Amino acid sequence: MKPHYQNTNYAKVLLLLIVLHLSCSTGLAQPAPKGIKIVGGKAPAGTERRVALVIGNKDYAHANALRNPINDAQDVAAALEKLGFAVTTATNTDYRATLTAISRFVAGLGTADVALFYYSGHGVGYNGKNYLLPIDADIRCIEQIEEQGVSVGRVLTELTARQVRTSFVFLDACRNLPNLKACNAASRDVTTQGLVRPSNNPRGSMIVYATEEGTTADDNQTGRNGLFTSELLKHLTRPNLGIRAILDQTVAGVETRSKGVQSPARYDKLWGDFVFVQTSQESARPEPIAKTRPEPVRPEPAKPVTAQKFSDLPFADMVYVAGGTFEMGDTRGEGGPDEKPVHSVTVSSFLMGKYEVTQRQWESVMGSNPSHFKDCPDCPVETVSYDDIQEFLKKLNARGSGVYRLPTEAEWEYAAGGGNTTNRTRFGNGQNVL
């Protein structure tokens, strides 16, 4: 079982985290208009070039002022700087400044490996599309949303046109507009609340809403940050945690604190996973994966680089697999339909056990041995279901020695083929034979 992995710089990977926590800051590339601040983050050695645009709007002229967007933007920007992003922030942007910020951000994507866009402020869904509302928006009838709002779809279209491989969109669209009449003064009132389901999220993207479509999110009147952002910030900078794990824990926190009233939604077309910070030093203890059969006793290397040993873990010896990009699927024309089409996948670095979980290890955690072929404690455990394994992982993780999980299909194929070695082979041994 393997840990969450980090997206490394082996192929151009563009992560657009449009964390639209509808309420926060603003950013542009230099020269920057008034109110826009650019901070250059330094990415850790060996990582991608990371850029971020953070926009937050709080003080609306014709709508309810919000409480936390500026704080949200500042805190997200600070977290991103720690993660190696060159961050552009902007606060309280009007229509022109918002468009300028996005246009300059999009124009600079050609040289970026990872990009992140965060928005906090008023946002609304209308006529099948989602719009961000600048602070000067004066919407008096429903059709004016299209005229005065900035379309989220515009950003996604630009990313698609520039063939952005991997993108993340986070929309914390937690506000709503009061009942509005049609501009033609016809008759009907229209309630616009929350966002609508995304319609043009490209392949390789993940779009996340701070709350389900058609509902509103909590601006959090008692804390420094909105509910969604406060939970996101708890996990965003944690080492060795994949984006899906970050979101899983964020969702759990939001649902718990809101007593189930607010539940973030995710629309996932992502190919792989991404870890913002991956530790590889022995002392850093990256998130491990349960391994299986015990490794034969061997002398420890003088300076372990690709292998790590954590003696306090139930599964002590782990193999460090450096992340990279590979062609996943039936690359030799020998597989079945479920192995097609072949596609590029980027995985992050991870730790993986060398062998299957043994009967001895299973019994030490579960208290029983379900194997059909018993009396072989160091043989792999068998006759276990997926649900059995999840219960095993739950009990194993409860020991507090690490966070273990099963490997993803991409991680398994990547490791089995030799990781990021130049000559990937069927069995990862430099040859195409067992």
Side-chain angles (χ1 to χ4, degrees), residues 57-369:
N57 292 330
K58 172 179 179 289
D59 299 314
Y60 284 83
H62 307 287
N64 293 335
L66 301 172
R67 184 177 186 273
N68 292 310
I70 303 302
N71 294 338
D72 290 339
Q74 292 173 344
D75 294 348
V76 167
L80 295 177
E81 289 166 20
K82 292 179 181 179
L83 295 173
F85 283 84
V87 183
T88 301
T89 62
T91 57
N92 284 335
T93 56
D94 58 19
Y95 183 81
R96 179 177 175 276
T98 303
L99 289 181
T100 301
I102 293 175
S103 296
R104 294 186 179 184
F105 174 68
V106 170
L109 293 179
T111 59
D113 297 300
V114 180
L116 187 153
F117 175 36
Y118 174 96
Y119 174 85
S120 181
H122 278 306
V124 67
Y126 168 67
N127 199 22
K129 298 179 182 179
N130 293 307
Y131 294 88
L132 315 179
L133 301 186
I135 61 170
D136 59 345
D138 186 10
I139 299 174
R140 307 195 177 199
C141 55
I142 193 69
E143 290 88 345
Q144 290 178 339
I145 292 176
E146 295 178 324
E147 300 171 1
Q148 301 186 36
V150 176
S151 173
V152 175
R154 174 176 179 173
V155 178
L156 297 175
T157 299
E158 293 287 354
L159 290 171
T160 302
R162 284 163 174 73
Q163 298 183 336
V164 176
R165 171 164 177 73
T166 305
S167 59
F168 291 84
V169 178
F170 285 71
L171 305 176
D172 189 349
C174 47
R175 329 301 175 201
N176 65 320
L177 296 176
N179 288 348
L180 295 174
K181 292 184 178 294
C183 294
N184 60 15
S187 54
R188 65 187 185 91
D189 293 344
V190 181
T191 299
T192 54
Q193 177 170 296
L195 298 177
V196 297
R197 187 181 185 87
S199 59
N200 65 331
N201 49 314
R203 189 66 177 169
S205 71
M206 178 187 291
I207 297 179
V208 179
Y209 292 173
T211 188
E212 294 174 321
E213 56 193 85
T215 62
T216 58
D218 189 354
D219 190 32
N220 195 6
Q221 297 302 309
T222 59
R224 173 177 171 82
N225 302 112
L227 179 56
F228 174 78
T229 294
S230 65
E231 290 300 316
L232 179 67
L233 287 169
K234 291 178 182 178
H235 310 290
L236 188 61
T237 57
R238 288 178 58 187
N240 312 307
L241 205 60
I243 183 61
R244 290 189 178 92
I246 290 172
L247 293 176
D248 287 345
Q249 298 194 36
T250 299
V251 169
V254 170
E255 290 180 343
T256 298
R257 289 176 57 185
S258 68
K259 294 181 172 55
V261 173
Q262 181 175 334
S263 180
R266 181 163 75 196
Y267 308 92
D268 192 347
K269 288 188 177 180
L270 196 63
W271 286 115
D273 203 354
F274 184 85
V275 173
F276 290 98
V277 54
Q278 177 76 44
T279 57
S280 58
Q281 296 80 10
E282 186 175 54
S283 60
R285 305 196 178 196
E287 193 177 311
I289 12 175
K291 73 164 193 175
T292 53
R293 193 167 62 238
E295 178 187 6
V297 177
R298 298 172 185 168
E300 285 292 312
K303 292 183 178 181
V305 177
T306 59
Q308 303 183 26
K309 180 175 182 179
F310 306 130
S311 58
D312 61 332
L313 297 177
F315 304 92
D317 298 315
M318 312 295 291
V319 175
Y320 178 75
V321 182
T325 298
F326 74 107
E327 295 300 304
M328 182 174 177
D330 180 20
T331 58
R332 297 179 176 84
E334 303 168 343
D338 60 339
E339 297 180 77
K340 297 180 178 67
V342 175
H343 54 280
S344 295
V345 175
T346 301
V347 300
S348 304
S349 303
F350 55 86
L351 289 174
M352 183 176 184
K354 289 185 178 180
Y355 307 104
E356 299 95 342
V357 175
T358 66
Q359 297 179 27
R360 186 196 310 274
Q361 291 168 330
W362 182 279
E363 189 167 2
S364 71
V365 174
M366 302 296 287
S368 61
N369 181 7

